[in-house]
Amino acid sequence: MVSSNINNVLSDMHRVLLNSDAPEGSAWELACSMILGKLGMRPPWPPGPDAAATWQLDQDVRILRSAALTVISPSAHAAVMAAAATLEPGDLTLLSRDRDVVTPTGLLVLPEPVVCVNRTGSQSDTLAYGWHFTTQHQMFPTAQYAGVRISTFMDRDGPVQPDDWRTAVTQARAAGHPLPRLVPDGTYGMRGDRAGTHASEPSTELLTQKHKELQAALTQASAWRSEPVADIGEWSGGRVEDPDDDFACRYMFAFWRLVAQGITTTTSPPPAPQGPQSTGHPHDPDIRVVRLARQIPAQRNPEAGQNKEVRTYHHRWPVRMHKVRQWYPSAQEHRLIWRGPYIKGPADAPLMLGEKVYVTDSN
């Protein structure tokens, strides 16, 4: 499965470069550089996708073995989803891995799977994001950049369950090698040296434009794989349309920046309950729990008017948020931050998810 995914990505990029102004005879090398080199693989490039798939799985195992484990609460997850929706591709070039990323190697487990629809119309669900620091190897011009490699992990038992996937899970279990709960899926590479602030680099607006042009070409190159897909993905917060194949990067960028900005707070999980209601899972102090730091009770003040009925809310929900480029005089630079969101409602009430949760300001 991993080999097939990498083959599709490399083939699409190769097809686009063959019809571009890339130097003659360089299309395959350049495609490998743009895909595999961006993920941290060193040249010489492998002759086919099988070797690349083996390398990718080795990287995923490295994350699972050594990553700092973090889980995110539903309210903090809703905030990250809202923040991710405000981001443009050029914004991602502002990432500083040394200043923004909380730990060199990490695994972030979501409260529930996020269903994404890619450019070919197929769906997948993501239950966890893993990352580790790497060095990107690029060509034309030859260069190396500080980067972050992001891995997505599907939910084996998640909401996207097509027939061929159920068959694979059943066969693996019958063979005595059941699939793990977290199944490796996609990989993405992000530059982590704040490329968008370098004088020699194009502006973030131009980078956004070039990214969208490339993604449009890749969508056209992959059109032969597109086909109508049944609506098999269910998620209470709605599906994420991901035609530019960058949602994983937008989510992680938003997560790292919100943690650094102080909108979230990180604590240890509470001790596991004892007695008949116990889950049987031991308490692990090494697990980090990320929660939304600021929550505003949404309850009308009874003193606002004696003739007005007191309104008590029975759920919580996120309010709007928007991104701003805040000037920091001490550093003499602009940094991308968010104002909002806040979770309104009683602290012990359930969080309401739905399409309105992720309404965000675009400016």
Side-chain angles (χ1 to χ4, degrees), residues 103-120:
T103 181
T105 304
L107 181 69
L108 178 66
V109 181
L110 309 184
E112 55 189 343
V114 173
V115 176
C116 285
V117 183
N118 66 23
R119 61 167 53 96
T120 64

Side-chain angles (χ1 to χ4, degrees), residues 82-95 190 204-212 244 246-247 249-251 253 323 325 336 338 360-363:
T86 71
L87 293 172
E88 293 289 342
D91 295 330
L92 304 183
T93 65
L94 302 176
L95 177 70
M190 296 183 66
T204 56
E205 292 77 12
L206 182 58
L207 288 170
T208 293
Q209 176 187 341
K210 294 298 184 183
H211 175 85
K212 290 184 178 296
D244 293 336
D246 63 356
F247 175 75
C249 296
R250 288 189 286 119
Y251 186 96
F253 181 95
K323 68 181 181 184
R325 293 182 182 270
L336 184 64
W338 282 273
T360 60
D361 296 331
S362 59
N363 56 0

Side-chain angles (χ1 to χ4, degrees), residues 135-344:
T135 299
Q136 296 185 348
H137 300 272
Q138 300 294 278
M139 55 189 296
F140 300 126
T142 301
Q144 296 182 2
Y145 305 107
V148 183
R149 180 182 179 276
I150 298 173
S151 297
T152 60
F153 294 88
M154 296 187 297
D155 185 358
R156 179 196 61 199
D157 306 320
V160 179
Q161 292 284 320
D163 292 339
D164 57 349
W165 177 251
R166 291 173 179 164
T167 299
V169 172
T170 301
Q171 290 177 344
R173 185 176 292 114
H177 299 283
L179 297 181
R181 175 68 188 275
L182 297 179
V183 181
D185 187 16
T187 54
Y188 304 86
M190 296 183 66
R191 278 185 65 170
D193 61 344
R194 302 183 71 240
T197 64
H198 298 174
S200 59
E201 298 281 352
S203 66
T204 56
E205 292 77 12
L206 182 58
L207 288 170
T208 293
Q209 176 187 341
K210 294 298 184 183
H211 175 85
K212 290 184 178 296
E213 290 174 357
L214 175 60
Q215 296 304 318
L218 290 171
T219 298
Q220 185 176 1
S222 63
W224 64 275
R225 294 199 310 274
S226 299
E227 59 183 27
V229 179
D231 189 11
I232 53 179
E234 296 292 340
W235 184 54
S236 57
R239 296 178 300 177
V240 175
E241 300 291 337
D242 192 23
D244 293 336
D245 196 30
D246 63 356
F247 175 75
C249 296
R250 288 189 286 119
Y251 186 96
M252 290 311 304
F253 181 95
F255 169 74
W256 291 323
R257 276 293 173 92
L258 290 180
V259 170
Q261 187 178 330
I263 286 180
T264 61
T265 181
T266 304
T267 62
S268 297
Q274 303 297 320
Q277 302 300 322
S278 174
T279 61
H281 298 294
H283 172 65
D284 189 341
D286 292 331
I287 298 177
R288 305 173 184 180
V289 181
V290 175
R291 307 182 191 277
L292 202 61
R294 290 173 281 182
Q295 303 194 33
I296 300 177
Q299 187 167 341
R300 187 181 298 275
N301 187 347
E303 298 179 357
Q306 295 181 353
N307 297 327
K308 294 183 179 179
E309 181 182 356
V310 176
R311 180 179 298 177
T312 301
Y313 294 91
H314 301 285
H315 58 264
R316 295 179 296 146
W317 71 96
V319 300
R320 292 185 179 214
M321 67 188 307
H322 64 280
K323 68 181 181 184
V324 294
R325 293 182 182 270
Q326 179 72 43
W327 175 252
Y328 285 80
S330 59
Q332 289 294 296
E333 65 180 14
H334 284 92
R335 295 180 188 173
L336 184 64
I337 65 171
W338 282 273
R339 292 195 175 134
Y342 301 95
I343 299 296
K344 287 189 174 183

